Amino acid sequence: MFSLSSTVQPQVTVPLSHLINAFHSPKSTSSSVSASVSQNQHRDVIPEHEAPSNECFFSPFLEVISLVAVNMLHENCHVYMYSVSLMFLRPDDTLTSGNKHLTPKPFSRFFSPVLNLRDLGLSELKIGQIDQLVDSLLPGICKGKNISSHWHTSHVSAQSFFENKYGYIDVFSTLRSSCLYRQHSRTLKSICSDLQYWPVFIQSRSFKTLKSRTRRLQSTSERLAETQYIAPSFVKGFLLRDRGSDVETLDKLMKTKNIPEAHQDAFKTGFAEGFLKAQALTQKTNDSLRRTRLILFVLLLLGIYGLLKNPFLSVRFRTTTGLDSAVDPVQMKNVTFEHVKGVEEAKQELQEVVEFLKNPQKFTVLGGKLPKVGILLVGPPGTGKTLLARAVAGEADVPFYYASGSEFDEMFVGVGASRIRNLFREAKANAPCVIFIDELDSVGGKRIESPMHPYSRQTINQLLAEMDGFKPNEGVIIIGATNFPEALDNALIRPGRFDMQVTVPRPDVRGRTEILKWYLNKIKFDQSVDPEIIARGTVGFSGAELENLVNQAALKAAVDGKEMVTMKELEFSKDKILMGPERRSVEIDNKNKTITAYHESGHAIIAYYTKDAMPINKATIMPRGPTLGHVSLLPENDRWNETRAQLLAQMDVSMGGRVAEELIFGTDHITTGASSDFDNATKIAKWMVTKFGMSEKLGVMTYSDTGKLSPETQSAIEQEIRILLKDSYERAKHILKTHAKEHKNLAEALLTYETLDAKEIQIVLEGKKLELR
Ligand SMILES: Nc1ncnc2c1ncn2[C@@H]1O[C@H](COP(=O)(O)OP(=O)(O)OP(=O)(O)O)[C@@H](O)[C@H]1O
Ligand SMILES: [Zn+2]
């Protein structure tokens, strides 16, 4: 290798930072130069007293070549720029880029004796020869040309510089064809042959200048032409990829560059070596590209496989694409009528449908036909409509297609209709089967023109058309479910469509008991648990809510470390659902606790000693939701009707709280805690007078809109309500005065135990001692 390599190793293995450091660390022999440059920083890079010499000029030139090469390998634009700038420096030139002075100091450090021409064996070179060489290498850079203006116009973009002006291909070939090369062929040949191994023309990243932006806008063909021009032969040959034209291109190149015959062999060898190098490089790139593609393809296959394998995902996937919207059917073998509790009437009505699905032919042979294609399940949320539909499919052992009405409600025109088409097509192909459309009202709601859903008619019309298109006894049963039957389009509920309505109501006390037993059997529970007591206290609960109640109780037992669920957990979760979670963290002072205890035991005493009041279930002073305490009463059965005496008793119980406060703490210390009690009592009294005809004075008449009544009637109603409330208050007062001792005992027991159940309340009121808990 050339001696230059002792300072600058033009090898890939040398880190760029080392090279830069090497250039920038002043050598002892060049210290005088450095010092003088520091005095004259803005003008020349060469101090005045050091006359420009061949040595001085050539050393940066060689440095530049090596730097450029190294830079190309490292793709570092900045060093690249820096090196290019050095190429144009003459000792007496001022180099500017834009309005910025470039490289005065670092340049001075290049003046190392190691790099002079003498060492290179080029000491005989005349300055004219150097000029000639440089002029042919870099036309326009030699003295007499304005360097500064060049830099101004080139916008310091490495790419534009190549493109517009020079290009390294010229550097090397011209170098070889120059007289200098002929005179000192051995030395320069060695440099050039080394340089050819470096992929020096791979353009590094650069600044975006006006010119480079224009370049980007140029067509690909133009760019290809440029590549041809600026790229070295080996890259060009490779890029064009036309092997046949390689030889031609090489010949042409040699001609245009005037390569002397003596050096043509060397040129060809360099060309071939470069070509092979580039080929190896591209081969490597292609290999890694192929590998990446293969990995991506395998990953894609795995992803699709996973998506299809997961039943949930596959259903979601299929139902949410417009192209294939039919839902996979599910066999419902594991759900039967046995699983649906407390809706006996509904089950009976659906039994007929199950028979039909089990054997549609039987109906045809007998000449009969099932008049119903569609069955509408109507009922509040969570009462088991979906469960019933599943049970129908399960009983008949036929496929079950589930679709939710909201799935058809698409913002894209026609998607909903096409989904319905697909759903019915698949169902028909798999008949006998059950199609279940949940939330039917969201697809089959009244077809009101609305700007929000301008194409909603399309979906419902499609549904109607599909239902009409059924042949008798085709074996497809459509079950729709809705919470709002009144919202359905009339066309949907006329005969031949959803003409059979099955009501699925909230379960009564028997139904609730059955549902509770069913779900209790799935968990561990204590034998003392009485599902009926819970059922009595959960009026209005749906099947789903009862299931949740049992589940919450099981969770509570687990949290408390119990082995099985007891009544306590069930009561706890019932209260939680009814009144919100306990607020154990709330700090309530003793005074307020005492008031609450007397208030709640006031309610309890009235309930206990009033004949027509509901039995007490529990009394507590544990804050829960918005309340500080409460007394819960349980009807023995669901009440379909209430008597006057029962209504009055309810009012009395409500009054018990305030009366207790007044009797114990005095009129001045009554609290706001009774407001909801009064709401309740007033509501009952008002209904008795205006709705139930239970007032002697106002008679058996209803007064629905009290605002429209005459002032006399209004005041009569008010008067009557007031009397009812006043009487109720007095009755409560009387009971509490009579049972003051029991009242006190109960309040104290509440203060001690916080919560008392029905049995414990009875023990206290009978004057017995409670067992310590
Ligand atoms: N009568 C019941 N017997 C047993 N379990 C029930 C009953 N009703 C509801 N459930 C339970 O509640 C869950 C929810 O009920 P389901 O989805 O069938 O109610 P739904 O009436 O369809 O409600 P929605 O109108 O909100 O769709 C069921 O999966 C079941 O576990
Ligand atoms: Zn109260």
Side-chain angles (χ1 to χ4, degrees):
M1 193 85 182
F2 194 53
S3 64
L4 172 77
S5 61
S6 63
T7 320
V8 182
Q9 284 285 349
Q11 286 170 7
V12 188
T13 48
V14 179
L16 188 61
S17 53
H18 290 195
L19 290 170
I20 294 167
N21 288 342
F23 292 147
H24 284 213
S25 58
K27 298 201 166 47
S28 58
T29 44
S30 62
S31 58
S32 63
V33 176
S34 312
S36 57
V37 168
S38 61
Q39 291 159 10
N40 194 8
Q41 287 213 346
H42 284 291
R43 219 187 80 76
D44 284 346
V45 285
I46 302 291
E48 305 265 311
H49 63 263
E50 233 178 278
S53 75
N54 304 349
E55 296 168 11
C56 297
F57 173 70
F58 205 70
S59 79
F61 173 68
L62 291 178
E63 294 266 23
V64 161
I65 294 177
S66 56
L67 236 186
V68 166
V70 171
N71 162 61
M72 290 307 179
L73 294 171
H74 287 265
E75 290 194 348
N76 185 309
C77 161
H78 297 284
V79 179
Y80 174 76
M81 291 296 302
Y82 170 66
S83 58
V84 167
S85 68
L86 285 177
M87 292 187 75
F88 312 113
L89 282 176
R90 290 299 309 274
D92 51 359
D93 280 338
T94 302
L95 181 64
T96 53
S97 165
N99 48 12
K100 209 171 144 197
H101 284 263
L102 281 179
T103 65
K105 203 170 177 184
F107 178 78
S108 68
R109 289 175 187 162
F110 281 118
F111 290 88
S112 151
V114 182
L115 299 171
N116 63 30
L117 289 180
R118 214 174 299 115
D119 289 354
L120 299 172
L122 302 173
S123 52
E124 299 134 46
L125 272 181
K126 301 277 177 307
I127 193 141
Q129 284 178 302
I130 295 175
D131 275 354
Q132 186 196 343
L133 166 66
V134 174
D135 199 27
S136 55
L137 284 171
L138 309 164
I141 292 304
C142 275
K143 64 181 178 185
K145 310 264 165 98
N146 188 341
I147 297 160
S148 303
S149 68
H150 269 296
W151 277 90
H152 277 302
T153 52
S154 71
H155 292 279
V156 205
S157 161
Q159 219 166 5
S160 65
F161 179 82
F162 273 105
E163 175 194 334
N164 296 330
K165 308 288 178 193
Y166 315 109
Y168 282 102
I169 180 72
D170 290 334
V171 174
F172 298 131
S173 56
T174 316
L175 186 65
R176 282 197 199 91
S177 60
S178 67
C179 59
L180 193 130
Y181 190 92
R182 279 194 289 279
Q183 281 169 17
H184 307 279
S185 58
R186 219 159 48 86
T187 321
L188 286 178
K189 202 172 176 179
S190 127
I191 301 173
C192 289
S193 63
D194 278 337
L195 287 175
Q196 279 184 350
Y197 286 105
W198 305 335
V200 288
F201 292 110
I202 299 165
Q203 181 59 45
S204 57
R205 291 174 300 277
S206 184
F207 320 139
K208 294 286 171 237
T209 64
L210 197 64
K211 228 160 207 158
S212 60
R213 198 171 144 257
T214 330
R215 262 176 70 87
R216 274 184 275 135
L217 300 175
Q218 284 173 348
S219 70
T220 324
S221 58
E222 270 178 286
R223 258 188 259 158
L224 193 67
E226 280 169 22
T227 316
Q228 264 179 291
Y229 175 66
I230 63 162
S233 51
F234 65 84
V235 174
K236 183 184 78 180
F238 201 76
L239 286 176
L240 291 176
R241 300 215 135 222
D242 180 1
R243 306 279 154 94
S245 69
D246 287 344
V247 180
E248 207 178 289
T249 318
L250 183 61
D251 287 344
K252 215 161 90 191
L253 247 177
M254 285 197 293
K255 259 182 226 148
T256 51
K257 304 298 170 195
N258 293 327
I259 311 269
E261 259 184 50
H263 303 123
Q264 281 188 2
D265 281 350
F267 189 85
K268 281 179 184 172
T269 314
F271 186 94
E273 282 170 347
F275 185 89
L276 288 174
K277 196 95 179 163
Q279 197 171 30
L281 200 82
T282 315
Q283 183 63 33
K284 232 167 112 186
T285 316
N286 281 348
D287 284 351
S288 74
L289 255 175
R290 223 172 287 138
R291 259 198 307 277
T292 315
R293 259 187 247 140
L294 191 72
I295 292 169
L296 280 176
F297 184 67
V298 170
L299 284 177
L300 187 74
L301 281 182
L302 282 177
I304 292 173
Y305 179 76
L307 210 64
L308 293 176
K309 266 283 154 192
N310 185 328
F312 172 72
L313 280 181
S314 70
V315 168
R316 292 293 327 147
F317 180 70
R318 297 195 65 189
T319 49
T320 48
T321 58
L323 299 172
D324 182 11
S325 57
V327 187
D328 286 329
V330 192
Q331 286 295 343
M332 280 295 150
K333 265 189 189 149
N334 48 354
V335 183
T336 63
F337 281 153
E338 204 25 50
H339 295 73
V340 198
K341 303 286 177 189
V343 281
E344 296 311 314
E345 293 79 5
K347 284 200 277 190
Q348 272 167 26
E349 285 193 65
L350 291 169
Q351 191 61 46
E352 187 187 354
V353 181
V354 174
E355 289 303 321
F356 167 73
L357 283 169
K358 271 183 178 165
N359 194 355
Q361 284 78 30
K362 193 172 87 181
F363 284 73
T364 320
V365 169
L366 291 173
K369 74 170 189 181
L370 195 78
K372 297 115 189 168
V373 171
I375 296 145
L376 193 61
L377 301 180
V378 181
T383 46
K385 297 182 293 295
T386 312
L387 197 62
L388 263 176
R390 285 177 189 270
V392 168
E395 286 280 334
D397 194 15
V398 296
F400 178 79
Y401 288 87
Y402 176 90
S404 175
S406 51
E407 276 173 30
F408 301 118
D409 190 16
E410 277 289 336
M411 65 183 285
F412 299 109
V413 182
V415 172
S418 105
R419 285 186 177 175
I420 289 204
R421 235 182 349 260
N422 290 345
L423 175 64
F424 277 75
R425 193 183 51 228
E426 280 214 15
K428 278 183 196 172
N430 289 295
C433 66
V434 171
I435 296 178
F436 177 68
I437 305 177
D438 207 355
E439 307 166 45
L440 187 65
D441 41 290
S442 63
V443 61
K446 291 206 165 67
R447 287 169 289 175
I448 303 161
E449 290 284 358
S450 121
M452 291 294 287
H453 300 92
Y455 301 100
S456 61
R457 273 167 179 274
Q458 277 193 4
T459 313
I460 186 168
N461 286 345
Q462 187 64 42
L463 181 62
L464 295 173
E466 293 290 347
M467 291 185 83
D468 287 346
F470 280 122
K471 293 184 206 97
N473 301 343
E474 194 158 3
V476 179
I477 290 287
I478 306 148
I479 303 180
T482 180
N483 306 329
F484 312 101
E486 58 288 343
L488 287 179
D489 196 299
N490 283 337
L492 260 185
I493 44 182
R494 62 145 238 237
R497 287 157 187 173
F498 288 103
D499 49 5
M500 176 177 171
Q501 270 206 25
V502 176
T503 309
V504 189
R506 285 204 174 89
D508 59 9
V509 68
R510 240 180 63 206
R512 289 199 299 275
T513 313
E514 274 185 42
I515 295 172
L516 283 169
K517 277 185 189 162
W518 175 256
Y519 288 111
L520 277 170
N521 279 328
K522 298 184 183 210
I523 61 166
K524 282 188 187 166
F525 69 97
D526 192 69
Q527 286 313 307
S528 65
V529 166
D530 186 352
E532 204 183 312
I533 293 181
I534 305 295
R536 274 164 50 198
T538 46
V539 183
F541 272 47
S542 67
E545 283 167 327
L546 292 168
E547 185 186 2
N548 182 34
L549 188 152
V550 175
N551 191 42
Q552 297 250 4
L555 286 177
K556 168 82 176 150
V559 169
D560 292 353
K562 293 201 173 171
E563 285 188 357
M564 36 186 71
V565 170
T566 64
M567 271 311 258
K568 201 174 157 229
E569 283 77 45
L570 288 166
E571 285 285 354
F572 172 87
S573 66
K574 185 191 87 181
D575 289 347
K576 192 175 165 190
I577 293 168
L578 279 174
M579 280 176 284
E582 280 181 351
R583 287 157 59 206
R584 278 187 185 272
S585 56
V586 181
E587 271 293 316
I588 295 171
D589 58 79
N590 280 340
K591 192 179 159 211
N592 271 302
K593 252 189 182 167
T594 312
I595 294 173
T596 310
Y598 276 95
H599 178 109
E600 297 307 333
S601 35
H603 289 304
I605 294 284
I606 309 288
Y608 191 80
Y609 293 106
T610 302
K611 188 173 155 274
D612 290 297
M614 281 187 253
I616 302 174
N617 177 45
K618 191 176 79 175
T620 179
I621 54 165
M622 164 67 70
R624 188 182 277 282
T627 66
L628 289 181
H630 72 272
V631 171
S632 75
L633 307 175
L634 274 189
E636 283 103 41
N637 271 308
D638 288 357
R639 287 187 170 183
W640 304 108
N641 265 318
E642 283 180 303
T643 62
R644 186 173 194 271
Q646 283 172 336
L647 291 174
L648 290 176
Q650 278 183 46
M651 285 170 63
D652 296 357
V653 173
S654 297
M655 292 296 179
R658 163 58 67 84
V659 172
E661 286 178 28
E662 198 184 313
L663 288 177
I664 307 295
F665 306 104
T667 325
D668 288 346
H669 295 97
I670 51 174
T671 68
T672 53
S675 76
S676 64
D677 295 335
F678 292 147
D679 272 351
N680 201 26
T682 311
K683 200 166 69 191
I684 296 171
K686 194 174 173 186
W687 280 350
M688 283 174 76
V689 176
T690 59
K691 268 177 130 178
F692 306 139
M694 289 181 180
S695 152
E696 273 177 35
K697 203 171 171 190
L698 286 150
V700 278
M701 188 176 164
T702 59
Y703 303 89
S704 49
D705 195 349
T706 43
K708 286 183 184 164
L709 299 174
S710 69
E712 293 78 31
T713 318
Q714 276 188 34
S715 93
I717 290 173
E718 266 179 39
Q719 187 69 18
E720 200 62 7
I721 293 172
R722 200 164 284 140
I723 290 171
L724 281 173
L725 291 170
K726 180 89 183 124
D727 289 352
S728 174
Y729 192 84
E730 292 305 328
R731 283 193 300 274
K733 205 171 199 170
H734 176 72
I735 293 173
L736 279 182
K737 273 185 175 168
T738 317
H739 299 282
K741 197 168 152 248
E742 287 85 354
H743 184 202
K744 187 167 175 281
N745 288 346
L746 191 61
E748 278 172 6
L750 272 178
L751 282 168
T752 314
Y753 299 108
E754 242 174 28
T755 304
L756 299 172
D757 63 21
K759 264 190 208 151
E760 290 167 332
I761 291 171
Q762 195 179 350
I763 292 170
V764 174
L765 295 182
E766 284 171 359
K768 295 178 197 158
K769 266 224 158 247
L770 266 184
E771 278 175 39
L772 281 182
R773 277 192 257 170

